[in-house]
Structures are given as C-alpha cells and as structure tokens.
C-alpha cells in the first residue's frame, strides 16, 4: 500500500490517492468522516476549526460500499477557499492582486524562511500553504482506511496524551487498548485520568490569554499485531524505524520513543528486557512490555507502545521577532490563525500514521488481493506463531 497527498491550506481542496488496498473492504465516507471530526476537535482549537467541517468525498476505488482493489481517491473541500480565490488563484493575475496577503516576514519555527530559500520564493505564502498542518487532514483520512483494514483483522488502536504542556498525566496500570480508547474519547483533552481534566483546561485557557502555545507527549498503543512484522535483515526494513519516520513526519513532532524509550538509558538490562513466557492458550507472551512490543526491529506479539513529542505550535498571537526578507530589517513575525494547543488533534494524526504503517506492513507480508484472502492468511500465520 502506498499513497500521495496534495493540496494547500487555503487551496480549493485536499486530495489523497491510495494504491494497494485489498478488494472487498467495506468502506464508506462516514468511516473516514468520524476520524476527520476527531482531528478537528479537542479543547484549545481555534478559528479555522469553526470554518471547516471536513467531509470526505470518495471519487475512485470504491463501488457499492466495497473497495475494488483499484486506487482510491479521497477529496476534502476547503470551504475557506472562497475567500482566497484571487490569493490562491492557479492562473496568473495582476501584480497588484498578487501582493494581497503576501508574506515577507517568516515565522520562527515554521517552514516559511527555509522553504523560501530552497524554492526561491519571494512570497513565503508558497511555503506555509503546503507545510501547514492542514495537510494532516488527508493523513487522517488515509489512516481511517488503514484502520478499517486493521479492524477486520482484530487489531485495535488508541491514543492518549501522557504529558500536557509539561504536566505529566498519571495513567492507571494494565488498561487495555479498548479501555484507553473509551476513556480518552470521553475527554476533551484526550487524557485517561479524568481527575486532571479541569486543571489542564484551565492551564490551556491561561496559555491562550498569554498569547502563547504548549505542546506535549502523545502515546499510541496497538493491540493484536502479529509477531514478525518488519525485519532485521536491512536497516530500512525495521518496523520501529518506519514508525519513527512516520511519527516525526507529522507537523511539529520532534521525537519518538518505544516502550520505556529514553528511560532505557537510566536502567539496567534486567530492568529493560522482557522475559519470554509460553502457555498453550496464548502461545508466546512476555512478562513485561518494557520494549514496547519490538525486538530486533520486528513486532513481537505484544501491544505496540509508541510515544511522540509535539513541540508548541510556532504561530504565536504575541509573535516573536523575525527579519523582513526584502529589507532585512527586524520585524515581528506574521500572525496566521493559531491554537494555544492542538495536542488532542495531533494524537488523532499520530494514531492515523501509525495505523497506516502497520496496515502497509501487513499487506506486504500477507497475500492481500482480497480481504477474505488476507484474513485467511493472517489467521493461518497467527496459528503457526502460537504453536512455533
């Protein structure tokens, strides 16, 4: 399975093309729209979310509610584009019109300045339009398709926030993926500890009043992944490396860890490795899951535990200093629409890209022209692994 996305933040629409989805998968626009709505929610979101109510249009690859095996095309219309027809015009326009909303004051922490250098733009809007987090709309749409595949294989996925603006969220021990999903769903800030809800909301309100932003750490957990996805034979075959790339490709994500992650640098080997167990009912298991379900670049059958750190959103309503690219004079950076935090929404994006990687690996490993064929192949493999 592979995909491409296209579109700008204020362009007419966002588009994705996905190739390699098996035939026979039940798929409707509503399956995707549910996740698009989740991406736009969460406490702390700003004005753009009130303008756009993202709805996907499936224009290829699905017939009568089932995928055909052909490439799938997904489109999401940008309602706000109607106010940007001249600014985002595909056709050439008069010079005086081109200057409307032209950007020469790059924002610290954004792609504005370096994108302008790389592609030789005299209007930095060309950088920010494509580098905008609006692009993640399509990655969530693609992830929704991937999660439909995973659901057919009894693979479940959830995300929740474990650090919110420097405030650590205590998580009860031994929660299942389903429990984490349900608890986080009830929370406007995607935390499983309801006792911290109001405290975090008050903090977000304070940050907004200050014209500042906050980031945090999101944890994504996947249960039911069979052992043996990925490979140790080449560096680019390792599953954890593919997931790391996917997570840090999300706008504003600056790091990723698996299981105990960087804490492994502070522990002894006996406190990090997971002892191997076997019983007739479950086959191979581990006494603990410190390694987050990965060994040797492969899934080991335990739940996959992945964390990503999101930096604070760089667009500030009290902007930092920058430099005008025409005069080289100091200037306050341009202010575009922004949120004090988008952490709950970022968790939905992370969940989506992780699901996409796992679905891609499964479709590569198993016969998958048709969903029935795929389900049979996975079931046989699970039985083999259990009795290995």
């Amino acid at each position: 399975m592979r995909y491409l996305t296209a579109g700008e933040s204020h362009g007419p629409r966002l588009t994705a093309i996905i190739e390699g989805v098996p035939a026979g998968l039940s798929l409707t626009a509503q399956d995707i729209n549910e996740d698009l709505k989740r991406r736009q929610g969460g406490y702390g979101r700003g004005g753009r979310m009130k303008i756009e109510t993202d709805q996907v249009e499936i224009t290829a690859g699905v017939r009568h509610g089932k995928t055909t095996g052909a490439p799938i095309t997904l489109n999401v219309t940008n309602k706000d584009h109607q106010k940007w027809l001249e600014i985002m015009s595909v056709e050439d326009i008069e010079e005086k019109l081109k200057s409307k909303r032209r950007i020469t004051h790059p924002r610290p922490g954004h792609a504005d300045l370096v994108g302008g250098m790389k592609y030789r733009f005299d209007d930095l809007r060309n950088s920010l339009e494509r580098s905008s987090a609006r692009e993640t709309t399509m990655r969530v749409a693609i992830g929704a398709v991937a999660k439909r595949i995973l659901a057919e294989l009894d693979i479940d996925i959830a995300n929740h926030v474990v650090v919110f603006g420097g405030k650590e969220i205590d998580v009860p021990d031994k929660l299942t993926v389903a429990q984490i999903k349900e608890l986080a769903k009830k929370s406007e800030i995607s935390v499983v500890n309801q006792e911290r809800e109001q405290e975090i909301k008050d903090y977000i309100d304070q940050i907004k009043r200050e014209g500042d932003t906050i980031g945090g750490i999101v944890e994504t957990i996947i249960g039911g992944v069979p052992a043996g996805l990925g490979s140790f034979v080449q560096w680019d075959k390792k599953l954890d490396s593919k997931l790391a790339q996917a997570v840090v490709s999300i706008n504003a994500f600056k790091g990723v860890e698996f299981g105990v992650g960087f804490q492994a640098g502070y522990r002894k080997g006996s406190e990090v490795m997971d002892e191997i167990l076997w019983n007739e009912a479950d086959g191979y298991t581990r006494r603990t899951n410190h390694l987050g379900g990965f060994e040797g670049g492969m899934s080991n059958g335990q739940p996959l535990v992945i964390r990503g750190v999101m930096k604070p959103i760089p667009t500030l309503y009290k902007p930092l200093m920058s430099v005008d690219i025409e005069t080289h004079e100091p200037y306050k950076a341009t202010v575009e629409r922004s949120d004090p935090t988008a952490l709950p929404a970022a968790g939905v994006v992370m969940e989506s890209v992780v699901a996409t990687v796992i679905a891609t690996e499964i479709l590569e490993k198993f016969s998958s022209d048709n969903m029935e064929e795929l389900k049979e192949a996975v079931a046989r493999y699970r039985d083999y692994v259990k009795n290995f």
Side-chain angles (χ1 to χ4, degrees):
M1 189 174 76
R2 56 182 180 165
Y3 67 89
L4 284 172
T5 71
E8 285 76 41
S9 181
H10 295 96
R13 67 187 55 82
L14 302 165
T15 300
I17 298 177
I18 319 171
E19 184 181 48
V21 175
L25 175 70
S26 295
L27 183 66
T28 67
Q30 186 55 33
D31 294 326
I32 299 169
N33 288 337
E34 287 178 7
D35 274 0
L36 294 181
K37 183 177 180 179
R38 289 174 63 215
R39 176 194 165 276
Q40 293 191 287
Y43 197 80
R45 299 311 302 276
R48 184 71 187 267
M49 300 306 110
K50 297 176 183 178
I51 296 170
E52 306 289 359
T53 304
D54 291 336
Q55 299 282 300
V56 75
E57 181 186 15
I58 304 173
T59 57
V62 178
R63 183 168 183 256
H64 301 161
K66 298 274 190 180
T67 56
T68 64
I72 297 171
T73 303
L74 309 175
N75 293 287
V76 172
T77 297
N78 285 329
K79 293 181 181 178
D80 204 26
H81 176 67
Q82 292 304 309
K83 299 176 183 178
W84 296 72
L85 293 175
E86 290 179 341
I87 299 165
M88 297 301 295
S89 172
V90 173
E91 303 299 329
D92 199 8
I93 58 176
E94 297 176 30
E95 286 299 322
K96 66 178 181 179
L97 296 176
K98 288 181 181 179
S99 63
K100 290 175 65 176
R101 302 297 291 266
R102 182 168 174 263
I103 292 177
T104 61
H105 306 147
R107 298 165 294 171
H110 272 280
D112 303 354
L113 178 59
V114 181
M117 292 174 176
K118 177 177 175 62
Y119 293 107
R120 303 195 178 194
F121 297 142
D122 60 4
D123 179 359
L124 301 183
R125 178 161 298 283
N126 288 337
S127 297
L128 72 87
E129 283 290 335
R130 178 56 184 168
S131 66
S132 166
R134 183 84 181 122
E135 185 269 345
T136 62
T137 302
M138 300 320 296
R139 284 207 272 154
V140 169
I142 294 160
V145 177
K147 284 192 283 184
R148 284 292 305 117
I149 297 170
L150 298 183
E152 292 287 322
L153 304 174
D154 298 321
I155 296 172
D156 203 7
I157 185 167
N159 84 84
H160 63 118
V161 177
V162 294
V163 177
F164 213 122
K167 297 179 181 293
E168 295 188 5
I169 312 297
D170 297 327
V171 180
D173 292 333
K174 297 182 179 178
L175 289 177
T176 65
V177 177
Q179 288 171 328
I180 290 171
K181 180 187 290 188
E182 189 60 31
L183 288 169
K185 184 179 179 180
K186 293 177 181 177
S187 168
E188 285 188 89
I189 54 173
S190 295
V191 299
V192 298
N193 188 338
Q194 306 287 307
E195 295 177 0
R196 303 294 301 280
E197 184 98 3
Q198 193 57 51
E199 173 197 346
I200 301 297
K201 286 182 179 180
D202 291 344
Y203 184 48
I204 293 170
D205 292 341
Q206 174 192 330
I207 293 296
K208 185 175 183 178
R209 288 193 296 271
E210 294 171 356
D212 217 328
T213 59
I214 51 175
I217 298 175
V218 177
E219 180 176 84
T220 297
I221 303 177
I222 320 171
V225 177
L229 295 187
S231 177
F232 56 85
V233 300
Q234 291 288 356
W235 65 272
D236 59 344
K237 297 279 190 181
K238 296 188 176 187
L239 180 61
D240 44 5
S241 72
K242 293 181 179 183
L243 287 164
Q245 180 186 16
V247 172
V248 297
S249 76
I250 303 168
N251 302 56
F253 273 67
K254 306 303 289 184
V256 62
E257 63 180 8
F258 304 95
V260 297
F262 290 105
Q263 283 297 314
Y266 299 87
R267 300 185 184 187
K268 300 174 184 177
S270 57
E271 298 171 324
V272 174
M273 309 311 156
D274 302 306
E275 291 184 326
I276 299 172
L277 309 174
W278 187 88
N279 65 65
E280 193 169 346
D282 303 316
Y284 292 95
T285 60
R286 303 296 188 279
R287 192 180 301 280
T288 55
N289 194 22
H290 299 316
L291 295 176
F294 298 90
E295 289 175 324
M298 300 170 289
S299 58
N300 65 12
Q302 297 300 103
L304 304 185
V305 181
I306 308 149
R307 293 186 195 90
V309 58
M310 181 188 186
K311 70 179 181 181
I313 294 171
T315 298
L316 306 177
Y317 280 115
K318 291 184 178 178
L320 300 175
M321 292 304 296
S322 181
V323 174
D324 188 294
I325 63 170
E326 292 183 327
T327 67
H328 294 164
E329 293 295 318
Y331 211 100
K332 282 189 176 180
T334 300
V335 178
E336 295 279 318
R337 289 191 187 97
S338 185
D339 309 328
T341 185
L343 202 52
V348 178
V349 180
M350 180 179 171
E351 178 184 296
S352 300
V353 301
V354 167
T356 301
V357 171
I358 298 303
T360 301
E361 289 295 300
I362 285 173
L363 296 179
E364 181 177 323
K365 181 172 177 59
F366 299 102
S367 180
S368 56
D369 287 337
N370 180 277
M371 281 303 301
E372 289 303 316
E373 186 179 305
L374 175 62
K375 287 192 280 189
E376 290 171 4
V378 172
R380 285 195 302 271
Y381 179 77
R382 281 177 167 149
D383 187 59
Y384 153 74
V385 167
K386 179 180 175 181
N387 296 288
F388 177 74

